[in-house]
Amino acid sequence: MFNREIPDVTLKTRVRDETVDGPNPFRWQDMKVREEFAGKKVVVFSLPGAFTPTCSNEQCPNYDRLYDAFQALGVDDVYCISVNDAFVMYQWGQNLGLKNVKLLPDGSGEFTRRMGMLINKDHVGFGMRSWRYAMIVDDNKITHWFEEPGINDHGEGGDPYGESAPEKLIAALTNETAEAA
């Protein structure tokens, strides 16, 4: 995965727009991932789904909590991508009270599929979702890759979380900074 470019995918997002009347002042906006990440060092982590236990209680809140540590190590932004639609991702972010992590809806699973991380979670009624992983991306190139072990479509081995934890990425960035000094 190292030095591989991220997929050239457009995500369907919703952005607040005060010119939109009514109780839901949002409009659709295409987000071209490579354009968004161009010239930046970003952390991207992916998870099976919004509102699910590990994703909501540990993974996403931990990345949000450690955002300042990432910034101190030269990261411009931290993104969470999930095979959920823009409406679900927005409500999940509100529910979690996220302050720093930017949520990216991969509603059709196109980014996840092109990353080779799309799995079938029919065994728990989810359909197609993402395997849990994280990466550091510098100007659209993957420089560090963290994938949970045992990728499969059958739920064998449960839903591991550890390799893609933010602390692993912080350790890698810290080592990179120390080696550069």
Side-chain angles (χ1 to χ4, degrees), residues 45-60:
F45 66 99
S46 188
L47 40 78
F51 294 102
T52 58
T54 302
C55 305
S56 296
N57 299 330
E58 294 183 51
Q59 193 173 14
C60 207

Side-chain angles (χ1 to χ4, degrees), residues 113-162:
R113 182 185 66 79
R114 297 204 33 218
M115 288 299 300
M117 295 286 108
L118 191 65
I119 61 167
N120 187 334
K121 290 189 73 82
D122 277 344
H123 61 280
V124 289
F126 285 6
M128 302 305 283
R129 295 297 177 106
S130 181
W131 187 252
R132 200 181 302 278
Y133 69 92
M135 60 184 165
I136 300 168
V137 178
D138 194 348
D139 195 22
N140 288 320
K141 290 220 183 327
I142 300 167
T143 60
H144 299 78
W145 180 258
F146 306 83
E147 179 181 327
E148 297 302 329
I151 187 170
N152 70 85
D153 287 331
H154 309 292
E156 296 163 1
D159 181 21
Y161 172 60

Side-chain angles (χ1 to χ4, degrees), residues 41-124:
K41 183 181 243 181
V42 298
V43 163
V44 180
F45 66 99
S46 188
L47 40 78
F51 294 102
T52 58
T54 302
C55 305
S56 296
N57 299 330
E58 294 183 51
Q59 193 173 14
C60 207
N62 288 342
Y63 274 93
D64 200 58
R65 179 178 52 82
L66 293 169
Y67 180 80
D68 291 339
F70 282 115
Q71 286 222 298
L73 292 165
V75 170
D76 295 299
D77 284 307
V78 176
Y79 295 89
C80 171
I81 191 162
S82 182
V83 182
N84 287 111
D85 64 62
F87 297 101
V88 169
M89 294 296 276
Y90 174 78
Q91 288 301 320
W92 186 46
Q94 294 294 303
N95 181 270
L96 292 176
L98 296 179
K99 304 220 181 327
N100 304 301
V101 170
K102 295 179 179 178
L103 300 177
L104 299 178
D106 186 19
S108 66
E110 186 65 14
F111 183 90
T112 303
R113 182 185 66 79
R114 297 204 33 218
M115 288 299 300
M117 295 286 108
L118 191 65
I119 61 167
N120 187 334
K121 290 189 73 82
D122 277 344
H123 61 280
V124 289

Side-chain angles (χ1 to χ4, degrees), residues 15-32:
V15 295
R16 189 168 195 82
D17 183 343
E18 297 305 328
T19 67
V20 175
D21 290 329
N24 189 9
F26 292 85
R27 64 177 164 73
W28 288 104
Q29 181 170 304
D30 286 354
M31 189 194 96
K32 295 180 179 187

